[in-house]
Amino acid sequence: MEFMRIIGLLMSSVALMLGAVGHAQTLPNGIPAKFTPVTSTFDYDRREVDVKMRDGVALHMVLIVPKAAHDAPILLDRTPYGAEKMTSRQESSHGAMLVNPAYAEFLTAGYILAVEDIRGKYGSKGEYVNERPLIGPLNGTKVDHATDAFDTIDWLSKHVKEANGRVGIIGTSYDGMMAAMALVHPHPALKAASPMNPVINTWMNDDDFHGGAFRMTGYDYYFGQDTARGSAGDLWRSAYDDYDTFLRAGSASGFVKSRGLDQIPFVRDLHDHPAYDTYWQGQALETILPKQPQTVPTLWIGSLWDQEDMYGAVAAFEAVSKHDPNHLNHLALGPWAHGGWSGAGDSLGAIRFQSDTGTWFRQHVLIPFLDGYLKSGGQPAQIAPVTAFQTGTNEWQRLPSWPVACDSGCGTPSRKLYLRENGTLSFAAPTAEGADDYISDPAKPIPYRQRPIRGTDAPGSTWRQWLVDDQRAFSDRPDVLTYQTEPLEAPLALAGAPVADLVASTTGSDGDFVVKLIDLYPDEVPEKPEMGGYQLPIAMDILRGRYREGFSQAKPITPNAALTYRLTLPNVNHVFLPGHRIMVQIQSSWFPLYDRNPQSFVPNMFDAKPEDYRKATIRIYHAPAQASALELPVVAIDTSR
């Protein structure tokens, strides 16, 4: 009996174990069928909406609405970079943490933020066309970015109950171009605009061409942006140093074919339109915008060291200001890189500005400007027509116009600084015959920054700051000519665009000319010893010689002929301080930022063959009848400070 009892107990235990196993297999799902987060402590509502355009295409938009919002203005940013990404930077109960710090300031100031994917990108439907032209000869459809902005603003003004019906449009770079395009036949509810570092003319010294020379770094952008509805990521490399990667590829087309980039329509357009032809002219916003009345108060924002879109803000402001009787347009220039208005702005590379210039600008210029036109009962802020940071003195200025107009008491608006013998510069014209030579070798092009050169977004890249990099690494090369003044005894202020007038010859039938205007620091700087002898670029740019007579048509250069090459440099607002010197450097390559000029004329430089690349001897003249000089926009020094 005892044996049977033990057997029974064992069987009961087994049954219990089997039952336990069976029970484990039917445990309830650990994920609720529906989870409802408790957001009562959130200080915002985040809304996702799809807004239909006039052609039925739905564009995706995210709104960040402060819970305290009432009778609030709306700021709209139309972007190809992902509305979801731009409005979900961190998970937080505070709306200010969802966006970048500058946009957080807008929320704090009482604005509703709306960020919309442009058509064909990320969450928006429709077809994406990079830099979609406005309706006209290049766009035969009935929609463009101007109509999409109109339809979006119409929806916002009618469907956001917390809003006051007033909309402002903002954005940096491509988004800045979207803000500029919204000014073409604008919606009545659009009451203010601020295009920030906008792409205004991508051939005329914004992203893709400078002086006719092609920027090969743009291929990174077009791969990431134009091969996927979202982002395709980074374009792969075959060497750590971009100098090696691009040099081994040969021509620009050689690099394109090695990556399959010729599948991208815009890359093909770049190849097919190397000159400033009707394709580019038809998209030039600085030409399009002034053709209609200026009705929207606009603050154009530019950066003095913008490594991407240096041209657009100033060019647009200057163009529309000629047709702006009500003075609705304003300009701001800060000591920043691309998009630097949104940061602290206290430094750039090794250069310090002695204050948080970005913070000051947003709090004293940008937000007051927006408040005045967008908040109910607001009055236009008393900001100057032009607010510009003067580097050298490191002070903000309130200016009446740009370029700064000189009256009779401020000296000559354009003062010539001449290249002279023995590598000198002088405000006195040359009195003796003279010239300097160098050999430009396409097999050994001059790098545009110190090597190794990393891709624009690669780890360790100095792309953001390279425009203020010390130029000593290049000044002693045998293929770079360097000229300098004696130490200045008095400060010299410039405000505007310097112009280089070079009289030069080449043994080739084509060639490039790079001109750098540099502030050469004293040999020793007591307050910051590491800045002793620093060569700070103030303005630098390039001219492709085939376009010396005009950008719309390429022409060969007559070998060995002394010809004039006129190159307008980027805008400056700078004071050369006493004890500093003015330096000028001249060279014929800037690689791989710009493609190599083969120095023998070919119909399309994108397709240059290895045998086309040839050495050339370049001669820069400084003689009474062949005087090379820089025309400097000299202005009076403000002695009231």
Side-chain angles (χ1 to χ4, degrees):
M1 294 295 293
E2 183 64 22
F3 173 76
M4 295 301 294
R5 188 179 71 82
I6 293 173
I7 293 298
L9 289 172
L10 289 172
M11 293 180 67
S12 297
S13 298
V14 170
L16 287 171
M17 291 173 65
L18 291 173
V21 172
H23 182 67
Q25 292 176 336
T26 60
L27 283 174
N29 191 342
I31 301 175
K34 181 180 180 182
F35 178 79
T36 304
V38 176
T39 60
S40 57
T41 61
F42 284 26
D43 65 5
Y44 68 93
D45 286 327
R46 186 178 187 277
R47 304 171 190 169
E48 299 181 16
V49 296
D50 291 324
V51 181
K52 282 194 175 182
M53 302 293 103
R54 62 191 61 187
D55 62 346
V57 171
L59 303 189
H60 184 66
M61 182 163 54
V62 178
L63 292 102
I64 307 296
V65 184
K67 284 190 174 178
H70 172 70
D71 194 34
I74 299 173
L75 285 180
L76 170 65
D77 185 332
R78 304 191 64 248
T79 183
Y81 303 124
E84 296 285 346
K85 293 195 298 184
M86 290 177 61
T87 56
S88 56
R89 296 195 171 216
Q90 295 186 42
E91 296 299 329
S92 175
S93 60
H94 300 290
M97 301 303 294
L98 274 63
V99 294
N100 68 43
Y103 279 30
E105 290 181 23
F106 297 142
L107 289 173
T108 301
Y111 286 85
I112 296 168
L113 288 181
V115 184
E116 180 180 65
D117 293 323
I118 63 171
R119 62 172 60 218
K121 291 298 292 183
Y122 288 89
S124 288
K125 306 300 182 183
E127 299 299 323
Y128 171 70
V129 177
N130 199 320
E131 299 182 15
R132 177 186 293 267
L134 293 165
I135 295 170
L138 300 174
N139 179 357
T141 74
K142 296 182 179 181
V143 294
D144 58 19
H145 289 305
T147 65
D148 284 352
F150 188 103
D151 295 348
T152 300
I153 293 168
D154 188 69
W155 186 94
L156 287 169
S157 65
K158 296 174 180 177
H159 292 88
V160 183
K161 63 181 184 299
E162 297 89 349
N164 64 3
R166 293 171 173 261
V167 180
I169 190 164
I170 59 175
T172 299
S173 195
Y174 199 117
D175 303 27
M177 176 172 58
M178 298 298 93
M181 286 184 172
L183 300 173
V184 179
H185 309 304
H187 192 282
L190 181 60
K191 301 299 184 182
S194 187
M196 301 148 168
N197 306 109
V199 182
I200 294 298
N201 189 326
T202 194
W203 197 96
M204 195 64 69
N205 299 347
D206 276 334
D207 283 296
D208 293 314
F209 294 86
H210 276 226
F214 174 63
R215 283 193 155 201
M216 292 197 295
T217 53
Y219 287 138
D220 282 314
Y221 179 84
Y222 297 118
F223 171 77
Q225 189 70 5
D226 290 21
T227 61
R229 183 172 288 270
S231 172
D234 297 331
L235 183 60
W236 64 95
R237 293 295 196 263
S238 54
Y240 182 80
D241 189 343
D242 262 9
Y243 188 96
D244 294 326
T245 295
F246 283 97
L247 189 61
R248 292 167 185 166
S251 65
S253 288
F255 182 80
V256 165
K257 292 174 182 177
S258 73
R259 298 325 193 250
L261 301 178
D262 47 356
Q263 302 169 66
I264 302 172
F266 196 80
V267 169
R268 296 198 298 270
D269 290 339
L270 293 169
H271 170 276
D272 295 345
H273 302 278
Y276 191 56
D277 58 15
T278 55
Y279 174 80
W280 299 113
Q281 295 171 24
Q283 302 178 62
L285 288 174
E286 76 273 38
T287 301
I288 295 170
L289 288 171
K291 292 181 179 179
Q292 61 181 35
Q294 304 299 302
T295 60
V296 179
T298 302
L299 175 61
W300 301 91
I301 298 176
S303 298
L304 293 170
W305 284 289
D306 189 330
Q307 76 281 12
E308 295 175 20
D309 298 305
M310 184 175 286
Y311 173 83
V314 175
F317 171 77
E318 289 184 6
V320 297
S321 293
K322 297 174 183 176
H323 308 275
D324 183 19
N326 296 319
H327 306 294
L328 297 177
N329 284 272
H330 297 73
L331 174 67
L333 290 173
W336 309 311
H338 189 67
W341 70 270
S342 64
D346 57 340
S347 64
L348 184 60
I351 312 304
R352 302 290 181 267
F353 303 119
Q354 301 175 348
S355 66
D356 291 346
T357 64
T359 302
W360 184 93
F361 166 72
R362 295 191 300 275
Q363 295 300 319
H364 291 87
V365 180
L366 177 56
I367 291 178
F369 168 81
L370 296 172
D371 285 351
Y373 292 107
L374 295 175
K375 289 193 172 180
S376 298
Q379 296 296 319
Q382 297 303 307
I383 66 172
V386 177
T387 304
F389 190 85
Q390 186 181 66
T391 55
T393 60
N394 292 332
E395 295 177 338
W396 283 102
Q397 296 177 303
R398 291 171 55 88
L399 303 174
S401 62
W402 191 270
V404 178
C406 268
D407 57 28
S408 58
C410 75
T412 305
S414 179
R415 190 175 177 189
K416 285 194 173 184
L417 182 65
Y418 293 93
L419 277 59
R420 295 288 298 266
E421 63 278 359
N422 302 318
T424 61
L425 293 171
S426 174
F427 288 107
T431 57
E433 298 297 318
D436 298 308
D437 298 344
Y438 62 91
I439 296 174
S440 174
D441 184 356
K444 298 178 181 179
I446 301 167
Y448 76 99
R449 48 181 161 144
Q450 290 193 51
R451 298 180 63 185
I453 298 173
R454 304 290 284 132
T456 55
D457 296 319
S461 174
T462 59
W463 170 249
R464 181 171 177 78
Q465 68 184 51
W466 79 269
L467 278 174
V468 299
D469 282 352
D470 192 343
Q471 296 300 296
R472 273 180 288 198
F474 316 108
S475 61
D476 294 330
R477 284 183 58 125
D479 49 0
V480 176
L481 295 181
T482 301
Y483 303 85
Q484 63 186 41
T485 65
E486 292 296 317
L488 299 178
E489 296 181 357
L492 181 74
L494 309 181
V499 177
D501 276 316
L502 301 181
V503 181
S505 64
T506 174
T507 57
S509 53
D510 203 350
D512 291 345
F513 294 91
V514 177
V515 177
K516 305 175 183 179
L517 176 62
I518 294 167
D519 185 338
L520 174 56
Y521 278 53
D523 291 341
E524 293 186 301
V525 179
E527 63 273 21
K528 198 174 183 186
E530 64 272 23
M531 294 300 293
Y534 198 94
Q535 297 179 10
L536 173 64
I538 301 303
M540 307 187 288
D541 225 326
I542 187 171
L543 174 67
R544 184 137 286 174
R546 60 175 51 204
Y547 298 118
R548 59 173 293 273
E549 296 182 12
F551 291 126
S552 62
Q553 185 177 358
K555 295 182 179 180
I557 296 172
T558 303
N560 299 308
L563 304 171
T564 299
Y565 297 86
R566 186 172 176 86
L567 167 57
T568 300
L569 298 177
N571 281 271
V572 303
N573 192 38
H574 183 73
V575 174
F576 292 87
L577 299 174
H580 290 228
R581 301 170 187 253
I582 304 173
M583 174 180 279
V584 172
Q585 293 179 11
I586 300 170
Q587 59 196 57
S588 289
S589 55
W590 224 10
F591 187 77
L593 177 60
Y594 297 98
D595 60 334
R596 294 178 301 151
N597 193 315
Q599 303 183 151
S600 60
F601 186 85
V602 294
N604 190 328
M605 200 171 294
F606 282 82
D607 300 330
K609 301 294 188 293
E611 59 270 21
D612 297 324
Y613 293 90
R614 302 169 190 170
K615 292 181 182 180
T617 298
I618 314 299
R619 173 166 291 181
I620 306 296
Y621 294 85
H622 44 78
Q626 297 171 318
S628 297
L630 265 71
E631 298 174 10
L632 301 181
V634 176
V635 296
I637 298 290
D638 186 353
T639 58
S640 64
R641 297 179 183 274

